[in-house]
Amino acid sequence: MELYVGGCFQGKQRYVCEKKQIKKEEFMDEAVFGHCKTETEWVEYCSKYKGINHVHLLIRQLLEQGINSKTFLEQVVEKNPDIILICDEVGYGIVPLKKEDREYREVVGRTICMAAQKANHMERIIGGIGMVLKE
């Protein structure tokens, strides 16, 4: 599994597509997040793709459905060990006022920490330029 993180609109998916010679259409994206009802459906659906873009938005969807994002991603990686995860960094800036927004931010952070530990490769993308954090 490979993990790519960075701020919003930093060219993460374009960078990964060029580096890995993958088309955008080979990534699961938020446009298709809404149709799965159970954790099993989510795992099967996500595992079919070469990568998942906007993992932070997927985590929000999973939270809304009461699905544990850490165990979910572990299952996806088990089914597809070569999957590429792309996630916005959401832990910077002002602490959200709403409790649910703070919880969401914490869940994203903890889930990405778990993914970073399990990743074979990790990069942070800033301005479309990758910095290798883990090889």
Side-chain angles (χ1 to χ4, degrees):
M1 182 252 294
E2 294 186 21
L3 177 61
Y4 295 84
V5 298
C8 188
F9 304 111
Q10 293 297 307
K12 293 179 297 296
Q13 187 178 34
R14 181 185 48 76
Y15 174 86
V16 172
C17 286
E18 289 175 7
K19 178 179 180 171
K20 306 298 276 179
Q21 301 292 306
I22 300 173
K23 295 179 183 171
K24 286 176 108 175
E25 295 77 29
E26 296 179 85
F27 279 87
M28 180 180 169
D29 211 324
E30 74 270 8
V32 295
F33 284 171
H35 81 281
C36 296
K37 303 291 185 244
T38 67
E39 185 171 359
T40 305
E41 286 179 15
W42 275 110
V43 170
E44 290 298 321
Y45 191 73
C46 291
S47 300
K48 296 187 303 187
Y49 288 87
K50 288 191 178 182
I52 302 172
N53 191 24
H54 298 124
V55 171
H56 60 289
L57 298 178
L58 175 60
I59 291 171
R60 185 180 293 276
Q61 280 275 343
L62 296 172
L63 272 172
E64 290 172 2
Q65 293 183 11
I67 298 171
N68 183 304
S69 59
K70 283 187 195 177
T71 57
F72 167 80
L73 277 181
E74 287 172 340
Q75 292 175 59
V76 169
V77 171
E78 187 175 307
K79 287 187 85 60
N80 183 356
D82 296 326
I83 198 159
I84 298 168
L85 305 177
I86 302 174
C87 186
D88 280 7
E89 295 171 331
V90 297
Y92 296 112
I94 298 170
V95 176
L97 293 175
K98 291 183 182 176
K99 180 182 177 184
E100 56 271 6
D101 290 339
R102 289 191 306 271
E103 289 172 349
Y104 159 71
R105 191 163 93 161
E106 182 178 343
V107 169
V108 171
R110 292 185 188 280
T111 302
I112 294 307
C113 284
M114 179 275 305
Q117 289 177 352
K118 294 181 179 286
N120 300 324
H121 181 85
M122 180 177 177
E123 290 187 45
R124 185 168 191 234
I125 313 301
I126 300 173
I129 298 170
M131 297 182 305
V132 176
L133 302 176
K134 183 177 182 183
E135 196 66 62

